[in-house]
C-alpha cells in the first residue's frame, strides 16, 4: 500500500475498548467522518485494555487501476457493496452491487491493511462527501471487527444509561418499543448508547453495552410518541439532505431518521455515549390485555434464550481484526445471563406511556426512576 499522506488531518476518539484514528489529506473529510462517530460525552471505558485502530484515506487512481486488474475470486459483501480480493489481501469495490442494494452506491475504492494501518484508496477525482461516506462505513465496520474480536455479541437492542451511569439494554422484535424506552431514559438525564443494534462486550468489571457504530435511527412513531416529531421536521440533518435543508423539505420523507451525536443532543435533547457498564437486560413483549405495563424478574436461562433469539451478524462483514495478539472470547451468552440481571416487560408502546413502563423496570435498579414516574416492583 502507498506511504502515509504527508499533509494529514487526523481525528481521534474512543469507541468502547477501541481507540481509533482517521487520517486524511482533506480536513473537511476528516471532520465529516468524526461528526458521525464522536459522541458528546467522554468514554468511560478504562484506559487499560484498549485496542488501537488506525485508518487513513488516500487518493491514488493508478493504484486502484492496478488492483482492479488483479482482483478475482467470489465477491464478499460489506453493507450494500460487493468486494473482490487481490493477491496482496486488499479488497476492491468497483461496482456490480448486490441485487437488494437500496442506498446510493459508493464510488470505487479499496481497503487494505499493512504495517499497522488500514488504508482506504479512492480515485483522484473523488469528492470530499464521497470519501467521507466511504470512510464512515469502513471505519464503523472495522470498529465492529475489533469489538467482535473482544468477544462482543451484536444484538437487536437499544441501550441507554440510567442516572447511575449503568446501561439498560432493551431487547425485542421490531415494534416492541426498544428505541422509545431507550430514548426516553436518555432524556431523563442519562445517555443514549445505541439505537437498535447494541454490542454486549466483556470488559473490566463485567459486561458492557457498546454502540454498534451505526447512527441511531428512529421511526416517526417513536418521535411522535415522545413529542419530538415537529422539532425533527424543522431540523437540517447530515444523513438527510447533507444538512442543507429541513427534513420537512426533503423530496421524500425517510421512514427512519438518523442523527449524528451532535444532532441527537441539539434536536432530541439527549447526550450520547459510546459505551457504559451493563446493568440490566430487559426483554420486551407485547402487553397482555389493556392494563398497565407489567415487569417481572426472569431467570438467567430465559435471559440467555432472549439474547440468542435477538442475536445479529457482526456489522464487520468480511473484515477481520488483524492486529497481533488478537484477544479471544472467554465468556458466552450463558455467562452473560448469569452476571447481568434480567427482566421481562410487557407493554404497548402505542397506548401506554414510556414513563410508566420505565418506572416499573427501574424499581430496584441503582439510581431508580426519576421523581414523578409511576412504577411497581418487577
Amino acid at each position: 500500500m502507498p506511504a502515509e499522506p504527508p499533509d494529514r488531518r487526523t481525528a481521534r476518539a474512543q469507541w468502547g475498548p477501541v481507540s481509533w484514528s482517521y487520517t486524511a489529506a482533506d480536513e473537511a473529510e476528516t471532520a465529516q467522518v468524526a461528526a458521525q462517530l464522536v459522541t458528546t460525552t467522554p468514554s468511560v471505558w478504562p484506559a487499560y485494555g484498549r485496542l488501537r485502530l488506525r485508518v487513513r484515506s488516500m487518493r491514488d487512481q493508478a493504484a486502484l487501476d492496478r488492483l482492479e486488474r488483479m482482483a478475482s475470486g467470489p465477491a464478499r459483501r460489506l453493507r450494500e457493496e460487493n468486494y473482490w480480493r487481490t493477491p496482496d489481501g486488499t479488497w476492491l469495490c468497483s461496482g456490480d452491487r448486490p441485487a437488494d442494494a437500496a442506498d446510493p452506491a459508493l464510488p470505487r475504492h479499496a481497503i487494505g491493511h499493512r504495517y499497522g494501518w488500514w488504508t482506504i484508496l479512492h480515485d483522484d477525482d473523488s469528492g470530499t462527501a464521497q470519501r467521507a461516506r466511504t470512510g464512515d462505513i469502513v471505519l464503523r465496520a472495522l470498529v465492529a471487527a475489533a469489538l467482535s474480536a473482544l468477544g462482543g455479541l451484536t444484538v437487536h437492542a437499544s441501550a441507554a444509561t440510567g442516572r447511575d451511569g449503568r446501561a439498560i439494554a432493551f431487547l425485542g422484535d421490531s415494534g416492541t418499543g426498544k428505541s422509545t424506552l431507550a430514548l426516553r431514559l436518555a432524556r431523563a438525564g442519562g445517555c443514549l448508547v445505541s439505537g437498535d443494534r447494541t454490542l454486549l462486550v466483556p470488559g473490566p468489571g463485567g459486561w458492557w453495552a457498546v454502540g454498534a457504530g451505526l447512527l441511531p435511527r428512529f421511526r416517526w412513531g417513536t418521535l411522535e410518541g415522545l413529542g419530538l416529531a415537529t422539532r425533527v421536521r424543522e431540523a437540517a440533518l447530515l444523513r438527510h439532505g447533507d444538512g442543507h435543508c429541513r427534513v420537512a423539505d426533503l423530496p421524500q420523507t425517510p421512514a427512519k431518521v438518523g442523527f449524528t451525536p451532535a444532532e441527537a443532543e441539539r434536536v432530541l435533547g439527549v447526550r450520547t455515549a459510546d459505551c457504559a457498564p451493563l446493568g440490566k437486560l430487559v426483554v420486551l413483549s407485547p402487553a397482555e390485555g389493556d392494563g398497565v405495563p407489567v415487569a417481572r424478574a426472569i431467570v438467567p436461562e430465559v435471559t440467555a434464550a432472549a439474547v440468542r433469539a435477538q442475536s445479529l451478524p457482526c456489522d464487520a462483514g468480511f473484515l477481520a481484526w488483524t492486529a497481533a495478539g488478537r484477544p479471544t472470547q472467554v465468556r458466552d451468552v450463558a455467562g452473560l445471563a448469569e452476571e447481568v440481571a434480567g427482566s421481562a416487560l410487557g407493554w404497548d408502546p402505542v397506548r401506554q406511556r414510556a414513563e410508566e413502563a420505565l418506572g416499573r423496570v427501574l424499581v430496584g435498579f441503582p439510581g431508580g426512576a426519576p421523581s414523578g414516574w409511576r412504577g411497581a416492583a418487577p
Side-chain angles (χ1 to χ4, degrees), residues 196-251:
D196 63 357
R197 295 171 77 90
T198 304
L199 275 143
L200 307 179
V201 181
W207 287 81
W208 290 63
V210 182
L214 301 177
L215 289 182
R217 300 186 304 161
F218 300 102
R219 297 181 185 275
W220 286 103
T222 295
L223 300 172
E224 292 279 4
L226 295 176
L228 297 169
T230 299
R231 293 174 62 180
V232 172
R233 292 190 180 95
E234 294 298 316
L237 304 175
L238 185 61
R239 278 297 176 93
H240 307 285
D242 291 330
H244 298 311
C245 69
R246 301 183 311 158
V247 173
D249 297 331
L250 294 172

Tab-separated table of all heavy atoms in Angstrom, residues 196-251:
chain	number	residue	atom	x	y	z
A	196	ASP	N	-30.809	0.734	17.656
A	196	ASP	CA	-31.457	-0.579	17.689
A	196	ASP	C	-30.482	-1.733	17.466
A	196	ASP	O	-30.897	-2.858	17.256
A	196	ASP	CB	-32.603	-0.651	16.668
A	196	ASP	CG	-32.112	-0.495	15.235
A	196	ASP	OD1	-30.910	-0.280	15.033
A	196	ASP	OD2	-32.957	-0.584	14.319
A	197	ARG	N	-29.195	-1.458	17.516
A	197	ARG	CA	-28.171	-2.509	17.479
A	197	ARG	C	-27.147	-2.193	18.568
A	197	ARG	O	-26.598	-1.093	18.619
A	197	ARG	CB	-27.476	-2.563	16.113
A	197	ARG	CG	-28.385	-2.962	14.980
A	197	ARG	CD	-27.688	-2.773	13.646
A	197	ARG	NE	-26.741	-3.833	13.364
A	197	ARG	CZ	-27.051	-4.950	12.722
A	197	ARG	NH1	-28.291	-5.149	12.310
A	197	ARG	NH2	-26.136	-5.880	12.477
A	198	THR	N	-26.912	-3.167	19.433
A	198	THR	CA	-26.010	-2.977	20.565
A	198	THR	C	-25.025	-4.127	20.618
A	198	THR	O	-25.385	-5.274	20.332
A	198	THR	CB	-26.802	-2.923	21.882
A	198	THR	OG1	-27.795	-1.892	21.801
A	198	THR	CG2	-25.898	-2.659	23.063
A	199	LEU	N	-23.796	-3.818	20.966
A	199	LEU	CA	-22.799	-4.850	21.214
A	199	LEU	C	-22.668	-5.056	22.712
A	199	LEU	O	-22.483	-4.097	23.468
A	199	LEU	CB	-21.451	-4.456	20.613
A	199	LEU	CG	-21.291	-4.820	19.137
A	199	LEU	CD1	-20.518	-3.765	18.395
A	199	LEU	CD2	-20.605	-6.174	19.016
A	200	LEU	N	-22.787	-6.289	23.148
A	200	LEU	CA	-22.563	-6.654	24.544
A	200	LEU	C	-21.157	-7.229	24.613
A	200	LEU	O	-20.859	-8.270	24.026
A	200	LEU	CB	-23.605	-7.674	24.992
A	200	LEU	CG	-25.066	-7.260	24.741
A	200	LEU	CD1	-26.016	-8.368	25.199
A	200	LEU	CD2	-25.391	-5.949	25.434
A	201	VAL	N	-20.267	-6.517	25.324
A	201	VAL	CA	-18.837	-6.807	25.273
A	201	VAL	C	-18.313	-7.106	26.673
A	201	VAL	O	-18.526	-6.304	27.589
A	201	VAL	CB	-18.057	-5.608	24.678
A	201	VAL	CG1	-16.560	-5.919	24.596
A	201	VAL	CG2	-18.605	-5.231	23.306
A	202	PRO	N	-17.612	-8.237	26.863
A	202	PRO	CA	-16.980	-8.473	28.162
A	202	PRO	C	-15.811	-7.531	28.349
A	202	PRO	O	-15.018	-7.307	27.425
A	202	PRO	CB	-16.508	-9.932	28.055
A	202	PRO	CG	-16.380	-10.202	26.588
A	202	PRO	CD	-17.400	-9.343	25.912
A	203	GLY	N	-15.715	-6.942	29.525
A	203	GLY	CA	-14.661	-5.964	29.762
A	203	GLY	C	-14.352	-5.834	31.232
A	203	GLY	O	-14.768	-6.667	32.062
A	204	PRO	N	-13.649	-4.777	31.620
A	204	PRO	CA	-13.278	-4.575	33.023
A	204	PRO	C	-14.501	-4.538	33.938
A	204	PRO	O	-15.425	-3.766	33.712
A	204	PRO	CB	-12.563	-3.219	33.002
A	204	PRO	CG	-12.068	-3.073	31.601
A	204	PRO	CD	-13.109	-3.720	30.746
A	205	GLY	N	-14.539	-5.386	34.918
A	205	GLY	CA	-15.614	-5.371	35.898
A	205	GLY	C	-16.883	-6.059	35.479
A	205	GLY	O	-17.857	-6.068	36.235
A	206	GLY	N	-16.931	-6.648	34.291
A	206	GLY	CA	-18.151	-7.312	33.847
A	206	GLY	C	-18.461	-7.035	32.388
A	206	GLY	O	-17.564	-6.798	31.575
A	207	TRP	N	-19.749	-7.037	32.067
A	207	TRP	CA	-20.178	-6.821	30.687
A	207	TRP	C	-20.513	-5.351	30.454
A	207	TRP	O	-20.953	-4.648	31.363
A	207	TRP	CB	-21.406	-7.675	30.367
A	207	TRP	CG	-21.060	-9.123	30.223
A	207	TRP	CD1	-20.884	-10.032	31.224
A	207	TRP	CD2	-20.830	-9.822	29.005
A	207	TRP	NE1	-20.563	-11.253	30.711
A	207	TRP	CE2	-20.527	-11.164	29.341
A	207	TRP	CE3	-20.872	-9.456	27.656
A	207	TRP	CZ2	-20.261	-12.140	28.375
A	207	TRP	CZ3	-20.610	-10.427	26.701
A	207	TRP	CH2	-20.303	-11.740	27.054
A	208	TRP	N	-20.320	-4.919	29.221
A	208	TRP	CA	-20.556	-3.535	28.829
A	208	TRP	C	-21.508	-3.486	27.640
A	208	TRP	O	-21.520	-4.395	26.790
A	208	TRP	CB	-19.242	-2.854	28.446
A	208	TRP	CG	-18.313	-2.610	29.586
A	208	TRP	CD1	-17.719	-3.552	30.388
A	208	TRP	CD2	-17.866	-1.335	30.077
A	208	TRP	NE1	-16.936	-2.946	31.344
A	208	TRP	CE2	-16.988	-1.591	31.164
A	208	TRP	CE3	-18.092	-0.026	29.679
A	208	TRP	CZ2	-16.378	-0.571	31.874
A	208	TRP	CZ3	-17.470	0.998	30.387
A	208	TRP	CH2	-16.630	0.721	31.472
A	209	ALA	N	-22.301	-2.428	27.582
A	209	ALA	CA	-23.100	-2.119	26.391
A	209	ALA	C	-22.309	-1.110	25.563
A	209	ALA	O	-21.916	-0.056	26.066
A	209	ALA	CB	-24.453	-1.532	26.778
A	210	VAL	N	-22.053	-1.452	24.300
A	210	VAL	CA	-21.283	-0.593	23.412
A	210	VAL	C	-22.119	-0.346	22.160
A	210	VAL	O	-22.732	-1.272	21.620
A	210	VAL	CB	-19.934	-1.243	23.027
A	210	VAL	CG1	-19.119	-0.314	22.133
A	210	VAL	CG2	-19.139	-1.603	24.277
A	211	GLY	N	-22.160	0.903	21.715
A	211	GLY	CA	-22.888	1.199	20.495
A	211	GLY	C	-22.333	0.409	19.326
A	211	GLY	O	-21.126	0.189	19.223
A	212	ALA	N	-23.217	-0.032	18.428
A	212	ALA	CA	-22.781	-0.863	17.301
A	212	ALA	C	-22.042	-0.062	16.248
A	212	ALA	O	-21.607	-0.613	15.247
A	212	ALA	CB	-23.987	-1.560	16.669
A	213	GLY	N	-21.892	1.248	16.443
A	213	GLY	CA	-21.189	2.057	15.459
A	213	GLY	C	-22.096	2.633	14.400
A	213	GLY	O	-21.667	3.461	13.601
A	214	LEU	N	-23.367	2.221	14.372
A	214	LEU	CA	-24.324	2.764	13.422
A	214	LEU	C	-25.036	3.951	14.054
A	214	LEU	O	-25.331	3.955	15.250
A	214	LEU	CB	-25.352	1.702	13.014
A	214	LEU	CG	-24.787	0.433	12.367
A	214	LEU	CD1	-25.910	-0.554	12.098
A	214	LEU	CD2	-24.054	0.762	11.081
A	215	LEU	N	-25.329	4.967	13.254
A	215	LEU	CA	-26.049	6.114	13.789
A	215	LEU	C	-27.425	5.676	14.280
A	215	LEU	O	-28.101	4.879	13.628
A	215	LEU	CB	-26.223	7.186	12.706
A	215	LEU	CG	-24.985	7.953	12.270
A	215	LEU	CD1	-25.362	8.998	11.231
A	215	LEU	CD2	-24.312	8.621	13.450
A	216	PRO	N	-27.853	6.187	15.442
A	216	PRO	CA	-29.201	5.845	15.907
A	216	PRO	C	-30.258	6.378	14.948
A	216	PRO	O	-30.167	7.511	14.472
A	216	PRO	CB	-29.298	6.535	17.277
A	216	PRO	CG	-28.272	7.616	17.236
A	216	PRO	CD	-27.170	7.107	16.358
A	217	ARG	N	-31.223	5.528	14.629
A	217	ARG	CA	-32.309	5.908	13.731
A	217	ARG	C	-33.633	5.618	14.425
A	217	ARG	O	-33.797	4.578	15.069
A	217	ARG	CB	-32.231	5.144	12.411
A	217	ARG	CG	-30.940	5.382	11.629
A	217	ARG	CD	-31.008	4.706	10.264
A	217	ARG	NE	-31.281	3.285	10.396
A	217	ARG	CZ	-31.744	2.533	9.408
A	217	ARG	NH1	-32.016	3.068	8.226
A	217	ARG	NH2	-31.952	1.241	9.584
A	218	PHE	N	-34.587	6.549	14.271
A	218	PHE	CA	-35.860	6.408	14.964
A	218	PHE	C	-37.007	6.539	13.976
A	218	PHE	O	-36.982	7.386	13.071
A	218	PHE	CB	-35.996	7.470	16.056
A	218	PHE	CG	-34.923	7.386	17.108
A	218	PHE	CD1	-33.844	8.264	17.099
A	218	PHE	CD2	-34.974	6.408	18.089
A	218	PHE	CE1	-32.848	8.180	18.049
A	218	PHE	CE2	-33.971	6.316	19.048
A	218	PHE	CZ	-32.909	7.207	19.023
A	219	ARG	N	-38.012	5.688	14.171
A	219	ARG	CA	-39.228	5.779	13.371
A	219	ARG	C	-40.032	6.989	13.813
A	219	ARG	O	-39.903	7.484	14.935
A	219	ARG	CB	-40.074	4.509	13.532
A	219	ARG	CG	-39.391	3.241	13.042
A	219	ARG	CD	-40.317	2.044	13.225
A	219	ARG	NE	-39.654	0.801	12.881
A	219	ARG	CZ	-39.576	0.304	11.650
A	219	ARG	NH1	-40.148	0.973	10.646
A	219	ARG	NH2	-38.955	-0.838	11.419
A	220	TRP	N	-40.910	7.435	12.918
A	220	TRP	CA	-41.727	8.604	13.233
A	220	TRP	C	-42.675	8.329	14.394
A	220	TRP	O	-42.991	9.229	15.165
A	220	TRP	CB	-42.500	9.062	11.992
A	220	TRP	CG	-41.611	9.736	10.999
A	220	TRP	CD1	-41.119	9.232	9.845
A	220	TRP	CD2	-41.060	11.062	11.112
A	220	TRP	NE1	-40.303	10.141	9.219
A	220	TRP	CE2	-40.253	11.271	9.970
A	220	TRP	CE3	-41.166	12.078	12.050
A	220	TRP	CZ2	-39.562	12.469	9.753
A	220	TRP	CZ3	-40.474	13.262	11.847
A	220	TRP	CH2	-39.691	13.452	10.707
A	221	GLY	N	-43.110	7.072	14.549
A	221	GLY	CA	-43.990	6.750	15.671
A	221	GLY	C	-43.312	6.987	17.002
A	221	GLY	O	-43.924	7.510	17.944
A	222	THR	N	-42.024	6.628	17.088
A	222	THR	CA	-41.257	6.885	18.308
A	222	THR	C	-41.130	8.376	18.565
A	222	THR	O	-41.327	8.853	19.692
A	222	THR	CB	-39.863	6.253	18.185
A	222	THR	OG1	-39.994	4.827	18.119
A	222	THR	CG2	-38.986	6.623	19.379
A	223	LEU	N	-40.809	9.134	17.510
A	223	LEU	CA	-40.640	10.576	17.672
A	223	LEU	C	-41.957	11.257	18.024
A	223	LEU	O	-41.989	12.176	18.854
A	223	LEU	CB	-40.058	11.161	16.371
A	223	LEU	CG	-38.683	10.593	15.976
A	223	LEU	CD1	-38.282	11.082	14.588
A	223	LEU	CD2	-37.626	10.980	17.001
A	224	GLU	N	-43.049	10.819	17.412
A	224	GLU	CA	-44.371	11.381	17.743
A	224	GLU	C	-44.730	11.083	19.190
A	224	GLU	O	-45.208	11.963	19.925
A	224	GLU	CB	-45.431	10.785	16.811
A	224	GLU	CG	-45.330	11.201	15.349
A	224	GLU	CD	-45.945	12.565	15.075
A	224	GLU	OE1	-46.383	13.221	16.046
A	224	GLU	OE2	-45.970	12.963	13.897
A	225	GLY	N	-44.497	9.845	19.630
A	225	GLY	CA	-44.866	9.455	20.979
A	225	GLY	C	-44.131	10.227	22.049
A	225	GLY	O	-44.660	10.415	23.152
A	226	LEU	N	-42.922	10.702	21.735
A	226	LEU	CA	-42.138	11.463	22.711
A	226	LEU	C	-42.222	12.962	22.468
A	226	LEU	O	-41.495	13.746	23.101
A	226	LEU	CB	-40.675	11.016	22.666
A	226	LEU	CG	-40.425	9.563	23.094
A	226	LEU	CD1	-38.965	9.194	22.919
A	226	LEU	CD2	-40.851	9.345	24.546
A	227	GLY	N	-43.109	13.383	21.563
A	227	GLY	CA	-43.310	14.810	21.307
A	227	GLY	C	-42.158	15.478	20.588
A	227	GLY	O	-41.958	16.695	20.719
A	228	LEU	N	-41.401	14.721	19.774
A	228	LEU	CA	-40.206	15.260	19.120
A	228	LEU	C	-40.359	15.423	17.614
A	228	LEU	O	-39.459	15.961	16.957
A	228	LEU	CB	-39.008	14.339	19.398
A	228	LEU	CG	-38.581	14.206	20.856
A	228	LEU	CD1	-37.583	13.061	21.003
A	228	LEU	CD2	-37.969	15.518	21.354
A	229	ALA	N	-41.460	14.965	17.045
A	229	ALA	CA	-41.588	14.921	15.590
A	229	ALA	C	-41.510	16.306	14.958
A	229	ALA	O	-40.871	16.496	13.919
A	229	ALA	CB	-42.898	14.226	15.200
A	230	THR	N	-42.137	17.294	15.561
A	230	THR	CA	-42.118	18.646	14.987
A	230	THR	C	-40.709	19.208	14.958
A	230	THR	O	-40.274	19.803	13.961
A	230	THR	CB	-43.046	19.573	15.784
A	230	THR	OG1	-44.389	19.065	15.714
A	230	THR	CG2	-43.016	20.983	15.214
A	231	ARG	N	-39.972	19.030	16.038
A	231	ARG	CA	-38.589	19.516	16.080
A	231	ARG	C	-37.735	18.833	15.022
A	231	ARG	O	-36.862	19.457	14.403
A	231	ARG	CB	-37.998	19.262	17.467
A	231	ARG	CG	-38.652	20.096	18.568
A	231	ARG	CD	-38.144	19.701	19.934
A	231	ARG	NE	-36.707	19.929	20.088
A	231	ARG	CZ	-36.040	19.664	21.200
A	231	ARG	NH1	-36.687	19.157	22.250
A	231	ARG	NH2	-34.753	19.902	21.280
A	232	VAL	N	-37.970	17.546	14.811
A	232	VAL	CA	-37.182	16.814	13.818
A	232	VAL	C	-37.498	17.309	12.411
A	232	VAL	O	-36.594	17.488	11.584
A	232	VAL	CB	-37.438	15.300	13.949
A	232	VAL	CG1	-36.778	14.539	12.805
A	232	VAL	CG2	-36.922	14.788	15.294
A	233	ARG	N	-38.759	17.563	12.126
A	233	ARG	CA	-39.129	18.042	10.792
A	233	ARG	C	-38.509	19.399	10.487
A	233	ARG	O	-38.217	19.716	9.333
A	233	ARG	CB	-40.650	18.118	10.664
A	233	ARG	CG	-41.346	16.768	10.658
A	233	ARG	CD	-42.822	16.901	10.286
A	233	ARG	NE	-43.485	15.601	10.290
A	233	ARG	CZ	-44.170	15.102	11.313
A	233	ARG	NH1	-44.280	15.823	12.432
A	233	ARG	NH2	-44.719	13.911	11.241
A	234	GLU	N	-38.284	20.193	11.501
A	234	GLU	CA	-37.709	21.524	11.297
A	234	GLU	C	-36.186	21.509	11.237
A	234	GLU	O	-35.564	22.523	10.922
A	234	GLU	CB	-38.156	22.461	12.433
A	234	GLU	CG	-39.652	22.753	12.437
A	234	GLU	CD	-40.100	23.455	11.166
A	234	GLU	OE1	-39.401	24.395	10.729
A	234	GLU	OE2	-41.135	23.047	10.605
A	235	ALA	N	-35.574	20.366	11.534
A	235	ALA	CA	-34.117	20.293	11.629
A	235	ALA	C	-33.490	19.959	10.274
A	235	ALA	O	-34.107	19.312	9.423
A	235	ALA	CB	-33.713	19.242	12.659
A	236	ALA	N	-32.255	20.398	10.092
A	236	ALA	CA	-31.431	20.003	8.946
A	236	ALA	C	-30.419	18.983	9.456
A	236	ALA	O	-29.659	19.274	10.381
A	236	ALA	CB	-30.727	21.211	8.348
A	237	LEU	N	-30.421	17.782	8.870
A	237	LEU	CA	-29.624	16.675	9.384
A	237	LEU	C	-28.629	16.185	8.331
A	237	LEU	O	-28.943	16.154	7.142
A	237	LEU	CB	-30.531	15.523	9.816
A	237	LEU	CG	-31.610	15.874	10.850
A	237	LEU	CD1	-32.522	14.687	11.096
A	237	LEU	CD2	-30.973	16.343	12.153
A	238	LEU	N	-27.463	15.763	8.806
A	238	LEU	CA	-26.385	15.369	7.903
A	238	LEU	C	-26.765	14.180	7.038
A	238	LEU	O	-26.453	14.141	5.839
A	238	LEU	CB	-25.131	15.041	8.721
A	238	LEU	CG	-23.869	14.711	7.927
A	238	LEU	CD1	-23.451	15.896	7.061
A	238	LEU	CD2	-22.735	14.314	8.874
A	239	ARG	N	-27.447	13.197	7.608
A	239	ARG	CA	-27.792	11.997	6.860
A	239	ARG	C	-28.995	12.192	5.933
A	239	ARG	O	-29.321	11.304	5.149
A	239	ARG	CB	-28.060	10.834	7.820
A	239	ARG	CG	-26.796	10.124	8.300
A	239	ARG	CD	-26.077	9.479	7.123
A	239	ARG	NE	-24.823	8.858	7.499
A	239	ARG	CZ	-24.681	7.572	7.841
A	239	ARG	NH1	-25.734	6.790	7.864
A	239	ARG	NH2	-23.498	7.098	8.132
A	240	HIS	N	-29.658	13.307	6.030
A	240	HIS	CA	-30.843	13.557	5.205
A	240	HIS	C	-30.693	14.933	4.559
A	240	HIS	O	-30.938	15.958	5.189
A	240	HIS	CB	-32.114	13.482	6.050
A	240	HIS	CG	-32.229	12.201	6.837
A	240	HIS	ND1	-32.559	10.998	6.256
A	240	HIS	CD2	-32.020	11.942	8.158
A	240	HIS	CE1	-32.571	10.050	7.186
A	240	HIS	NE2	-32.252	10.605	8.346
A	241	GLY	N	-30.252	14.943	3.301
A	241	GLY	CA	-30.039	16.209	2.617
A	241	GLY	C	-28.719	16.862	2.935
A	241	GLY	O	-28.552	18.065	2.694
A	242	ASP	N	-27.753	16.083	3.500
A	242	ASP	CA	-26.413	16.598	3.826
A	242	ASP	C	-26.444	17.813	4.739
A	242	ASP	O	-25.528	18.640	4.735
A	242	ASP	CB	-25.644	16.948	2.545
A	242	ASP	CG	-25.281	15.715	1.735
A	242	ASP	OD1	-25.086	14.657	2.359
A	242	ASP	OD2	-25.208	15.802	0.504
A	243	GLY	N	-27.506	17.950	5.535
A	243	GLY	CA	-27.593	19.055	6.476
A	243	GLY	C	-27.906	20.396	5.842
A	243	GLY	O	-27.782	21.430	6.498
A	244	HIS	N	-28.347	20.392	4.561
A	244	HIS	CA	-28.574	21.655	3.853
A	244	HIS	C	-30.037	22.066	3.796
A	244	HIS	O	-30.341	23.184	3.367
A	244	HIS	CB	-28.019	21.558	2.435
A	244	HIS	CG	-26.539	21.339	2.377
A	244	HIS	ND1	-25.639	22.094	3.105
A	244	HIS	CD2	-25.798	20.442	1.689
A	244	HIS	CE1	-24.417	21.677	2.862
A	244	HIS	NE2	-24.480	20.665	2.012
A	245	CYS	N	-30.963	21.195	4.172
A	245	CYS	CA	-32.374	21.572	4.146
A	245	CYS	C	-33.114	20.865	5.270
A	245	CYS	O	-32.639	19.856	5.814
A	245	CYS	CB	-33.002	21.240	2.788
A	245	CYS	SG	-33.159	19.479	2.450
A	246	ARG	N	-34.257	21.414	5.621
A	246	ARG	CA	-35.054	20.820	6.678
A	246	ARG	C	-35.575	19.439	6.242
A	246	ARG	O	-35.795	19.185	5.052
A	246	ARG	CB	-36.249	21.706	7.005
A	246	ARG	CG	-35.917	23.110	7.462
A	246	ARG	CD	-37.206	23.850	7.814
A	246	ARG	NE	-38.207	23.722	6.744
A	246	ARG	CZ	-39.517	23.883	6.919
A	246	ARG	NH1	-39.990	24.167	8.117
A	246	ARG	NH2	-40.342	23.760	5.902
A	247	VAL	N	-35.781	18.568	7.221
A	247	VAL	CA	-36.353	17.260	6.926
A	247	VAL	C	-37.714	17.415	6.270
A	247	VAL	O	-38.072	16.680	5.353
A	247	VAL	CB	-36.456	16.420	8.215
A	247	VAL	CG1	-37.210	15.129	7.972
A	247	VAL	CG2	-35.061	16.137	8.778
A	248	ALA	N	-38.469	18.426	6.695
A	248	ALA	CA	-39.802	18.659	6.121
A	248	ALA	C	-39.747	19.020	4.648
A	248	ALA	O	-40.739	18.842	3.923
A	248	ALA	CB	-40.520	19.766	6.898
A	249	ASP	N	-38.610	19.526	4.162
A	249	ASP	CA	-38.485	19.958	2.773
A	249	ASP	C	-37.855	18.908	1.872
A	249	ASP	O	-37.650	19.161	0.672
A	249	ASP	CB	-37.656	21.240	2.697
A	249	ASP	CG	-38.323	22.401	3.415
A	249	ASP	OD1	-39.564	22.410	3.478
A	249	ASP	OD2	-37.600	23.284	3.928
A	250	LEU	N	-37.526	17.736	2.413
A	250	LEU	CA	-36.927	16.690	1.590
A	250	LEU	C	-37.934	16.186	0.556
A	250	LEU	O	-39.138	16.139	0.828
A	250	LEU	CB	-36.472	15.522	2.464
A	250	LEU	CG	-35.329	15.803	3.447
A	250	LEU	CD1	-35.124	14.608	4.370
A	250	LEU	CD2	-34.051	16.128	2.699
A	251	PRO	N	-37.462	15.788	-0.627
A	251	PRO	CA	-38.384	15.264	-1.649
A	251	PRO	C	-39.156	14.036	-1.175
A	251	PRO	O	-40.302	13.827	-1.555
A	251	PRO	CB	-37.455	14.912	-2.823
A	251	PRO	CG	-36.225	15.720	-2.596
A	251	PRO	CD	-36.081	15.853	-1.118
